[in-house]
Amino acid sequence: GTNYYCKVFRSINEGASWDAGIDAHGGDKQWMTIDRSGGIGLGNIYATWNSYFSSCLPGFFTRSTDGGDSYQNCIAVPASPFWGTMAVGNNGELYLTGSGGSSVVVVKSTNARDQGATPTWGNPVGVDLDGYVNSGESVNPAGLVGQVNIDVDRSTGPGRNNVYVLSSVVRFSNADSADVMFSKSTDGGLTWSAPKRINDDIGTNNYQWFGTMSVAPNGRIDAIWLDTRDSPLDSLLSALYYSYSLDQGDTWSVNQRLSPLFNSRIGWPDQEKMGDYFDMQSDTDGAHLAWTNTLNGEEDVYYSYITPFISGINPNQDEASMYAVTCNPNPFSTETRITYKTPLDGHVSLSIVSIYGQEIRTLVDKNQTAGSYSVILEGNDLPAGFYLCRLNSGSHTKTTRLIRLN
């Protein structure tokens, strides 16, 4: 179709009011990004979309170099990447990624930042994620399993200028219908690392779908996805999961479940799908996520702020501050995942305590090495109300409040 038109609306008062909108061409699966590099392209707005559903064929890319007052004529991009996003590098270079059919591709422009030049593109580079981006799977029958995410490390640390790609893909090597896979480039997108699986569920029968990634100003890489690993047999329910990396994607934290289970196949207003768009932006302390779910019995868009379980250890921290315990979700109805961290080897106990100090349930009582751990609390037999989750490790005690709903 060619009737996928887009208008871009602006607000200069934090969303209290909006202008009438500016025509910005457009198409299906449209994404935008803004140049904040501080160079000659500062403030440029870039947009790309699926070339198969474009309002300005054969083009499917546009930009604004005047702060959004106008958008230039559409142009095509080599390899016609679709179902993907964009990112601006530290020098104003523009990276565009997407599916190239049976593989993921990245295309780069070094002159899109220059308002006096027509953007040109380098040769497309394939990224091996050991899989391909797909649609029409059971969790989202008329929609996607995910889109391809790209971002750049803008920190002052050792990963500065690294380029990262992440997507949920159907695996080539084991026929898994959806794993969250990651690759990085340390040379500006010319070459890419071997693929790495982020989800720590090693089975091939679960879906890890809608994988989404962003990079924090301190270089931390955040990743979220929907996951069916906890779904009862034959029900195909999903929950939001999270992991992060502090070493440029070489290793990843233990996966953390952040939401109750929900049925992605209810509430369809028209097509048999739960939308196709998740987006996330990271700051130093956490990640801002816009996502969809059916927790309310219908399709809704949610905002969540995700705080990493631990985002790095400050050498000036005292020992007590290195202990932590969190519960997600909280409040909870049937179950919650309790994640805890201890910086020293030794005996660990984790228990649920009433507000009167009475120990109700012991979840952990054993020696453990330093590290992060998680357990599931099944709360069906707990009366609704307020509780404390108490971590004892060595001479230290850490507690957090826990709320059980009806």
Side-chain angles (χ1 to χ4, degrees):
T2 59
N3 58 346
Y4 287 75
Y5 296 102
C6 173
K7 282 194 172 185
V8 177
F9 298 84
R10 294 180 297 187
S11 173
I12 58 174
N13 55 9
E14 299 181 339
S17 61
W18 296 82
D19 66 16
I22 301 294
D23 290 327
H25 307 295
D28 188 33
K29 307 295 184 291
Q30 183 156 352
W31 288 95
M32 305 184 78
T33 193
I34 300 174
D35 187 330
R36 297 184 176 92
S37 67
I40 61 172
L42 180 65
N44 282 1
I45 305 170
Y46 305 108
T48 188
W49 52 90
N50 184 349
S51 63
Y52 293 102
F53 297 93
S54 178
S55 64
C56 49
L57 291 170
F60 52 94
F61 171 89
T62 187
R63 67 175 178 173
S64 172
T65 61
D66 55 13
D69 287 339
S70 63
Y71 287 81
Q72 298 174 356
N73 291 335
C74 300
I75 62 172
V77 178
S80 300
F82 57 94
W83 300 345
T85 61
M86 296 175 292
V88 177
N90 292 302
N91 296 310
E93 71 276 22
L94 178 64
Y95 297 93
L96 190 155
T97 190
S99 174
S102 60
S103 64
V104 168
V105 297
V106 170
V107 188
K108 177 180 176 181
S109 174
T110 57
N111 74 340
R113 61 193 174 189
D114 183 354
Q115 65 178 349
T118 298
T120 56
W121 304 87
N123 292 326
V125 178
V127 181
D128 178 14
L129 294 183
D130 184 29
Y132 63 95
V133 186
N134 198 23
S135 62
E137 294 288 343
S138 299
V139 286
N140 206 31
L144 304 182
V145 172
Q147 300 200 44
V148 188
N149 289 246
I150 191 167
D151 209 348
V152 176
D153 188 324
R154 301 174 184 88
S155 73
T156 57
R160 180 174 174 82
N161 294 321
N162 285 355
V163 188
Y164 305 121
V165 164
L166 176 145
S167 184
S168 293
V169 299
V170 178
R171 299 288 298 278
F172 291 136
S173 62
N174 62 11
D176 193 302
S177 295
D179 272 337
V180 181
M181 302 297 291
F182 170 88
S183 180
K184 71 177 177 180
S185 173
T186 60
D187 56 12
L190 294 176
T191 61
W192 293 83
S193 67
K196 183 180 292 291
R197 176 172 46 83
I198 307 306
N199 52 286
D200 54 19
D201 166 53
I202 62 175
T204 59
N205 296 320
N206 297 316
Y207 288 92
Q208 282 79 37
W209 57 299
F210 275 6
T212 303
M213 173 193 66
S214 56
V215 181
N218 59 7
R220 186 192 68 250
I221 310 172
D222 296 311
I224 64 91
W225 61 92
L226 298 181
D227 200 313
T228 65
R229 72 175 76 178
D230 303 317
S231 179
L233 188 65
D234 297 327
S235 62
L236 210 60
L237 304 182
S238 296
L240 181 68
Y241 266 75
Y242 169 72
S243 182
Y244 65 91
S245 174
L246 301 177
D247 57 7
Q248 300 86 57
D250 290 338
T251 61
W252 291 79
S253 68
V254 173
N255 296 176
Q256 299 178 48
R257 179 174 155 184
L258 301 183
S259 82
L261 291 166
F262 63 90
N263 185 356
S264 63
R265 299 180 294 173
I266 62 174
W268 291 326
D270 186 13
Q271 294 176 292
E272 293 183 340
K273 64 178 182 178
M274 196 185 70
D276 290 317
Y277 308 91
F278 282 19
D279 196 21
M280 187 163 63
Q281 297 291 322
S282 296
D283 60 30
T284 300
D285 297 321
H288 303 264
L289 173 67
W291 63 297
T292 58
N293 62 58
T294 62
L295 289 168
N296 200 33
E298 61 185 13
E299 292 191 2
D300 292 316
V301 178
Y302 280 72
Y303 164 80
S304 296
Y305 185 71
I306 302 168
T307 303
F309 179 63
I310 183 162
S311 57
I313 300 225
N314 184 333
N316 296 318
Q317 286 178 305
D318 58 67
E319 186 178 288
S321 67
M322 300 180 190
Y323 294 84
V325 58
T326 59
C327 306
N328 283 299
N330 188 15
F332 75 102
S333 296
T334 57
E335 66 178 34
T336 184
R337 180 178 292 273
I338 300 173
T339 305
Y340 60 96
K341 180 182 185 300
T342 175
L344 301 173
D345 298 349
H347 186 266
V348 174
S349 68
L350 183 71
S351 55
I352 304 301
V353 181
S354 74
I355 59 175
Y356 304 107
Q358 177 186 7
E359 187 170 291
I360 296 171
R361 187 177 303 175
T362 299
L363 303 175
V364 177
D365 185 16
K366 60 184 176 181
N367 289 323
Q368 290 185 311
T369 57
S372 300
Y373 301 87
S374 65
V375 296
I376 297 292
L377 169 64
E378 300 284 352
N380 290 324
D381 59 342
L382 287 178
F386 292 86
Y387 298 89
L388 295 176
C389 180
R390 184 172 65 193
L391 170 69
N392 287 317
S393 180
S395 60
H396 297 281
T397 299
K398 199 82 171 181
T399 61
T400 189
R401 188 176 69 169
L402 185 61
I403 302 173
R404 162 82 160 91
L405 302 175
N406 283 318

